[in-house]
Amino acid sequence: MTGTGGDGPRPRGAWWREGAIAATAFTLCLLGGVVRVDDTFAAPPAAAYVIAAVSCAALAVRHRAPLAALAATTASGVLVPLLGLLLSPPIVAPAVITAYSYSLTARSERRAVGAVSLASLVLLAAATPLSGGLSWQDASRMASVAVSVSVAGVLGHSVRNRRAYLAAVEERALRAEESRDSEARRRVAEERVRIARELHDLVAHQITLANAQATVAAHLFDTRPEQTRKSLGELVGTTGQALDELRATVGLLRQSGDAAAPAEPAPGLSRLPALLESFRRAGLEVSVHQEGRARPLPPGVGLTAFRIVQEALTNVTKHAGTGRARVRLDWSRERVTITVADDGGDARTAPAARPGRSAAAGPPDPPDRRPPGYGLIGMRERVTAVGGHLSAGGRPEGGFTVCAQLPIASGRGATRPADGASSGEGRTADGAMDDGRTDDGRAWDTP
């Protein structure tokens, strides 16, 4: 069984506590009636029982109407001298209890202070003798009556502040726990995206090369057996490397703790020649042109630059209707601009077979049947993570261009790209439009 009051629902057993409080207050009222005005002791008169019954009855509503209960018990204390009883602290015990309850549940601190102070003053005035001299016993009794009510109000206010403080601490702890859970979920989501991006960059590249090598082998199977055997050997090496990288990645994911140190440094532009050679073995003719003085890149930026070139050339191998691609590196003091372009038709507009593709393999999938990929999404996420900018789109003269501007000094605090870099055309470090040609309009340089 539960009860409700002004301070909320009361748990099971609260009625027993309220009954004990009321019985204690009734007993104290009767004990206060034992002392007579002439400082003699006698059995409590009928007036003491009336005062005790009326004031203790008001305790029943002190939770629902604490101000009314305080007023009723204070009025009962005022009636004590009028009925020939001595007004003392025991006989005003119900007023002390209601003062505590009202200070605990008052809407504002000002109301609580005003009501309790008024009750103390009223009881102090009621305890003042109307005739005769004021002895030190009378003065101490009057002070104890007024102080007992005031102290009860102070205690109620302190308990109220303590409860509010504990509630605020509990709420802050709950919010902190929710923030930790939200932060953990956010980090898990970011880690899932990072793992998906890494797997895409590692596996898709090797699988694309393996598909290209298998296509070349199928095309040359009848006419050039020796070349076919060479292509199949390269296919075995490519698939073996893909399995090794996949095994290493899965091994890292299965570790219960952080790895002590990576088996080898993260790839950067220093591994660009080996990457381009793997595409050349797959039948893609890649030319490279570099402007400016190359400088070392931070590990995160270097890995991003490597992945941009890798994914862009992978997309050329998979989607472009050409067997040639161009890579350009433009170095400035603050950033490096990486541009990968091809002259083939975009797979979304005009898919065509690359030289070396077997006719038996059938035509490329139409645009509406090819599932959406995550290559450009992953590249954009990588570039944004290091504070750079990526633009990708079709070229007016045909083909597709991917242009990434990466900061050299650091990631987040690096200088943002110049205005206009968000368009489909890239912009080099010195501000010139990068549409696949040099500043004076000449075509790309090839080795």
Side-chain angles (χ1 to χ4, degrees):
M1 178 177 181
T2 60
T4 58
D7 52 355
R10 296 195 296 274
R12 184 183 299 274
W15 295 110
W16 293 98
R17 185 182 62 186
E18 296 298 324
I21 292 175
T24 302
F26 187 82
T27 302
L28 291 175
C29 286
L30 293 181
L31 290 177
V34 171
V35 182
R36 298 298 177 87
V37 178
D38 55 358
D39 293 333
T40 61
F41 297 92
Y49 284 94
V50 173
I51 292 296
V54 172
S55 58
C56 290
L59 295 179
V61 298
R62 66 188 179 94
H63 292 292
R64 292 188 294 271
L67 183 59
L70 178 61
T73 53
T74 302
S76 299
V78 173
L79 294 176
V80 170
L82 301 179
L83 295 177
L85 300 176
L86 182 66
L87 186 59
S88 61
I91 208 169
V92 295
V96 172
I97 296 174
T98 53
Y100 171 83
S101 298
Y102 182 71
S103 298
L104 194 63
T105 59
R107 293 184 178 179
S108 65
E109 182 179 353
R110 180 179 299 179
R111 290 187 178 184
V113 172
V116 173
S117 300
L118 180 62
S120 299
L121 293 176
V122 169
L123 293 176
L124 179 62
T128 303
L130 299 179
S131 60
L134 185 64
S135 64
W136 68 269
Q137 292 93 342
D138 294 334
S140 62
R141 178 174 51 80
M142 293 165 50
S144 61
V145 169
V147 168
S148 61
V149 178
S150 299
V151 169
V154 172
L155 290 177
H157 179 69
S158 300
V159 172
R160 177 180 181 177
N161 289 341
R162 177 65 177 173
R163 291 180 180 179
Y165 171 75
L166 294 178
V169 170
E170 183 178 358
E171 182 180 1
R172 286 197 297 268
L174 181 60
R175 290 182 178 180
E177 184 177 359
E178 293 177 352
S179 298
R180 286 193 299 268
D181 294 341
S182 177
E183 179 68 14
R185 288 192 297 268
R186 184 187 65 81
R187 291 186 178 182
V188 168
E190 291 180 352
E191 187 66 13
R192 290 177 61 184
V193 172
R194 188 188 68 82
I195 292 172
R197 188 166 57 239
E198 289 293 335
L199 288 176
H200 177 274
D201 292 342
L202 290 174
V203 178
H205 165 64
Q206 301 294 344
I207 297 301
T208 300
L209 294 183
N211 178 72
Q213 291 166 351
T215 302
V216 172
H219 180 72
L220 302 176
F221 183 79
D222 295 326
T223 59
R224 301 172 64 181
E226 292 299 328
Q227 185 66 28
T228 301
R229 187 176 296 107
K230 180 181 178 181
S231 297
L232 291 177
E234 294 175 349
L235 175 61
V236 172
T238 300
T239 54
Q241 185 179 0
L243 290 175
D244 292 340
E245 292 182 353
L246 182 60
R247 187 181 298 110
T249 303
V250 174
L252 289 176
L253 295 178
R254 292 177 63 87
Q255 290 181 357
S256 57
D258 294 335
E264 59 181 7
L269 290 182
S270 60
R271 293 177 54 180
L272 188 59
L275 176 67
L276 300 180
E277 183 60 29
S278 65
F279 280 103
R280 293 189 180 106
R281 289 198 304 266
L284 181 64
E285 183 180 338
V286 185
S287 61
V288 181
H289 178 65
Q290 187 167 245
E291 288 287 345
R293 183 174 60 87
R295 292 192 300 278
L297 296 175
V301 179
L303 175 61
T304 300
F306 180 85
R307 296 302 186 198
I308 292 297
V309 177
Q310 182 186 58
E311 180 59 29
L313 293 179
T314 300
N315 287 340
V316 173
T317 305
K318 292 169 60 177
H319 303 302
T322 182
R324 292 180 296 178
R326 296 182 295 276
V327 178
R328 177 170 175 169
L329 303 177
D330 288 294
W331 297 85
S332 68
R333 186 178 62 180
E334 297 179 350
R335 56 180 176 262
V336 56
T337 302
I338 302 173
T339 306
V340 181
D342 65 84
D343 295 330
D346 187 1
R348 293 167 294 185
T349 58
R354 193 176 63 254
R357 181 182 178 94
S358 174
D365 293 336
D368 55 351
R369 294 179 56 186
R370 177 172 290 128
Y374 298 94
L376 288 176
I377 297 177
M379 285 192 288
R380 196 174 303 278
E381 290 174 348
R382 285 185 179 277
V383 172
T384 303
V386 298
H389 175 77
L390 177 77
S391 60
R395 304 172 59 201
E397 61 270 30
F400 199 81
T401 300
V402 174
C403 180
Q405 297 183 1
L406 305 177
I408 293 180
S410 61
R412 290 292 183 184
T415 305
R416 302 300 297 175
D419 295 339
S422 59
S423 62
E425 296 177 337
R427 188 176 291 272
T428 58
D430 58 0
M433 296 303 297
D434 187 356
D435 60 350
R437 297 180 181 274
T438 58
D439 297 338
D440 57 358
R442 292 182 291 105
W444 291 75
D445 295 339
T446 56

